């Protein structure tokens, strides 16, 4: 998976490649789809939600430039796979999931795997998660109409934020946002992606 799908497409962050080699992705996939766990595609995890494609998880994780000391926020826990990866790459992770069942399931799995620096919270992550702010890195794993102000407000100076921003036709531009040392924000598009919609106060309407 890592060699064919990720390194070959240009992800070079050695720590991301190592963690994705070691973490058992099949544990985050429902039993009925286990055979497809390492396939080059997102997979359904129930309740209409998905676990992201391995390459996209790698791309988002490497864009955050994690070195091990960061406080990280994830919006959209889903299966908990991306949260577990981030937990291995940073000092601490707060991950927020709107759907109670998914939040509970991810909490159980992450504790079984010993990811002690990952805290899963049930709630509206379009508001960020104030208790852990400010964050050195933020990843939003659902499609947003625009950058939710409460989330960017929780980004520390020098911090990186990755978010799929709606670009019409059901696609989004995966966008890297930086808060510079003087406090302003800069944006750069990475690539085109297709995520499930972000819900909640600053999410997609309907
Ligand atoms: N990161 C996940 C994939 C996320 S799929 C993984 O590694 O498996 C998108 C997730 O965002 C879904 O689980 C969905 O329920 C959740 N979501 C949507 N809107 C949300 C919101 N406002 N707050 C928190 N989670 C939200």
């Amino acid at each position: 998976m890592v060699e064919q799908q990720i390194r070959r497409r240009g992800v070079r962050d050695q720590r991301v490649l190592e963690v994705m080699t070691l973490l058992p992705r099949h544990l985050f996939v429902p039993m009925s789809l286990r055979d497809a766990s390492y396939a080059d595609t997102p997979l359904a995890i129930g309740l209409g939600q998905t676990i992201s494609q391995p390459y996209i998880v790698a791309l988002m994780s490497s864009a955050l430039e994690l070195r091990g000391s960061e406080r990280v926020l994830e919006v959209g826990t889903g299966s908990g796979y991306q949260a577990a990866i981030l937990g291995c790459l940073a000092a601490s992770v707060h991950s927020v999931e709107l759907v109670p069942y998914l939040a509970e399931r991810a909490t159980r799995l992450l504790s079984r795997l010993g990811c002690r620096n990952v805290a899963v919270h049930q709630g509206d992550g379009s508001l960020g998660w104030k208790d852990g702010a400010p964050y050195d890195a933020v990843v939003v794993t659902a499609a947003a109409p625009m950058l939710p102000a409460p989330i960017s407000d929780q980004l520390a100076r020098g911090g990186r934020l990755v978010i799929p921003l709606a670009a019409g036709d059901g696609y989004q531009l995966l966008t890297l946002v930086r808060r510079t040392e003087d406090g302003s924000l800069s944006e750069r598009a990475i690539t085109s992606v297709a995520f499930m919609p972000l819900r909640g106060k600053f999410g997609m309407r309907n």
Side-chain angles (χ1 to χ4, degrees):
M1 172 182 95
V2 167
E3 194 52 47
Q4 300 291 325
Q5 302 172 27
I6 300 175
R7 198 197 300 272
R8 191 164 288 185
R9 288 196 184 113
V11 175
R12 291 283 178 264
D13 187 321
Q14 206 51 42
R15 296 176 72 237
V16 170
L17 298 174
E18 264 163 34
V19 167
M20 291 197 61
T21 304
L22 295 173
L23 190 74
R25 179 170 160 95
H26 62 271
L27 299 181
F28 296 84
V29 171
M31 215 53 101
S32 57
L33 290 172
R34 285 266 154 113
D35 288 353
S37 299
Y38 299 89
D40 195 9
T41 175
L43 294 167
I45 56 164
L47 298 170
Q49 303 305 331
T50 58
I51 173 173
S52 303
Q53 182 187 6
Y55 169 61
I56 295 296
V57 173
L59 188 64
M60 292 176 102
S61 303
S62 68
L64 297 177
E65 296 173 11
L66 301 173
R67 295 292 169 262
S69 60
E70 298 82 2
R71 302 165 61 89
V72 180
L73 170 69
E74 179 191 30
V75 176
T77 314
S79 69
Y81 180 67
Q82 171 93 66
I85 300 275
L86 296 171
C88 298
L89 296 170
S92 65
V93 179
H94 288 276
S95 183
V96 189
E97 171 56 53
L98 192 62
V99 179
Y101 168 78
L102 294 176
E104 283 158 28
R105 195 173 66 178
T107 302
R108 278 199 304 275
L109 179 54
L110 291 167
S111 96
R112 187 151 70 81
L113 291 173
C115 303
R116 287 200 191 79
N117 61 342
V118 182
V120 176
H121 311 283
Q122 192 274 318
D124 179 4
S126 79
L127 303 171
W129 190 260
K130 266 194 172 159
D131 286 359
Y135 299 98
D136 305 301
V138 178
V139 58
V140 180
T141 65
M146 59 185 71
L147 178 59
I151 296 182
S152 60
D153 287 349
Q154 293 171 25
L155 184 64
R157 292 186 178 210
R160 286 82 56 201
L161 181 158
V162 182
I163 182 170
L165 293 176
D169 292 342
Y171 283 85
Q172 305 94 40
L173 277 179
L174 188 61
T175 305
L176 174 63
V177 180
R178 282 175 192 277
R179 185 175 293 287
T180 57
E181 294 297 342
D182 67 19
S184 61
L185 295 175
S186 72
E187 280 189 20
R188 177 172 77 78
I190 302 176
T191 188
S192 159
V193 287
F195 274 83
M196 307 294 291
L198 180 71
R199 311 213 171 273
K201 187 162 180 206
F202 290 85
M204 306 291 242
R205 302 204 178 275
N206 72 45

